[in-house]
Amino acid sequence: MDRQDQQENQPIQETSYNPESQNQADGKKCKSLLKGKNRAILIAVVLGFIIVNVVSCNKSEKTPKVKSNAEEVSQETSDKKNGYEVEGTVVVKVDKGRKRIVIREGIIGIAKGAFSDCSNLEQLTIPSSMRFIKPGEFSDCVGLKKFTFFSDRLGDLGDLRNFLPENYKGEIHIIIPNGVKSIGEEAFKGCSGLTSVTIPNSVTSIGSAAFFCCWGLKSITIPNSVKSIGDYAFSCCRGLTSVMIPNGVKSIGHGAFEACSGLTSVTIPNSVTSIGGYAFFCCWGLKSITIPNSVKSIGSYAFSSCSGLTSVTIPNSVTWIGGYAFEACWGLKSVTIPNSVTSIGRSAFSGCSGLTSVTISNRVTSIGEEAFKGCSGLTSVTIPNGVTSIGRSAFSGCSGLKSVTIPNSVKTIGEEAFSGCSGLTSVTIPKDCSVYNYAFPPGCRVIRR
């Protein structure tokens, strides 16, 4: 048997692996293999070894850290100290005597029954890594007063109330982790028990219906980083009492604050250029609104049915007031339509029964159908020179109207334009003006000039 055969038949000796000593040995091999006449042959023979280990010759690189048994034991001890036990990444048991439990990041689930009989628990915090919780898991936590969840969306978890005790009256607080750039569509939709949300400065957009029907939400601070508020973002948040929209937001989406009936004040910054349709529809508690000079258009139904609204300031920047924009704002007493506005949409101020005076700008060319219908508090109206048409039922039902001035520029007066204006006894119109059926109430004398 030659020397080579002897070497091949030698038994393999088991040795313990030491990463530090192995790295040092690999380093010496790297240096020795790269020296001498036969380095090309040696490189070819052990190429795989050199490729893997030449990196370890560089002292700036570190080998991947593997969690040791000691570290795992330490984590287990830490979890127990915090009041719960973990198998893998799932909480399987909690300390029933604890009043406060904060589950660490990295945990993705809670085993069924882990929180049974935890009546002493008052505060519970869930990490953003959480993905699996059985409905009713916290139903035994009858002493729970505050539930905090770190997340940028509920995903498959659904309404957090599904996990809490029946008729839970405590706080539900959402903390969106720093670094999140956008709150997605329907992220917290239908989370009716949500009472407060913390949005970090990293967020730039709030998606459509992100907080739709979060009835319990009482306050919201939107950071300056946010540039857009999506359609129906806070729709039906009836517990919301005030909102400050930060400077930087350019548009308020369609129905963004629709049916926020508890909303009493809104601050709209100078950065906003458009207010979407239905943006504040049915915000009954809203008392006053100041629209900044940056806004160019007020969408259809934007402030419709804001019955508590007593005053509104429309700036010179607005060129268009959409249909039904201020419909049924019963409390509105006066309105000035600035010179920048060229048209008043259909039913824009219809049903504003408390309106006693209105000033229409000289640049308005048309008054839409039913624009001021049912404004029974109006006593006089001056239609400016420049208006060419008065739409159908534009002032219908304005029973308090006693005088109206119609300029020579008006070419058409629509059907029933002034019907039901029982206080109107006479009116003067241009001689070449076309007047449709029932434009004026019975008994009203029409004089052509």
Side-chain angles (χ1 to χ4, degrees), residues 243-274:
V243 63
M244 181 175 287
I245 299 168
N247 201 17
V249 171
K250 293 182 179 178
S251 63
I252 299 171
H254 189 94
F257 297 92
E258 176 189 35
C260 291
S261 54
L263 200 60
T264 56
S265 66
V266 174
T267 302
I268 300 174
N270 284 322
S271 56
V272 172
T273 58
S274 66

Side-chain angles (χ1 to χ4, degrees), residues 20 49 67 98 120 125 138-139 160 176 187 208 228 273 313 357 377 391 400 414:
E20 191 63 35
F49 170 81
K67 189 177 281 189
R98 293 293 289 258
N120 291 322
T125 300
F138 309 119
S139 59
L160 294 175
I176 296 171
S208 298
S228 66
T273 58
T313 302
S357 69

Side-chain angles (χ1 to χ4, degrees), residues 153-223:
R153 67 180 302 114
L154 292 178
D156 294 334
L157 292 177
D159 191 344
L160 294 175
R161 292 181 70 88
N162 293 335
F163 311 108
L164 297 170
E166 190 176 356
N167 300 319
Y168 175 72
K169 301 295 183 185
E171 297 177 27
I172 297 179
H173 183 43
I174 294 289
I175 299 176
I176 296 171
N178 197 22
V180 171
K181 293 184 178 179
S182 66
I183 300 172
E185 294 183 4
E186 302 183 357
F188 301 97
K189 179 182 176 180
C191 190
S192 57
L194 185 62
T195 53
S196 64
V197 176
T198 300
I199 302 175
N201 279 321
S202 57
V203 171
T204 58
S205 66
I206 299 173
S208 298
F211 296 93
F212 181 82
C213 279
C214 291
W215 303 328
L217 193 60
K218 293 173 183 169
S219 65
I220 185 79
T221 300
I222 303 171

Side-chain angles (χ1 to χ4, degrees), residues 7-15:
Q7 288 177 341
E8 288 177 354
N9 291 322
Q10 287 291 325
I12 297 172
Q13 296 182 353
E14 293 185 5
T15 58

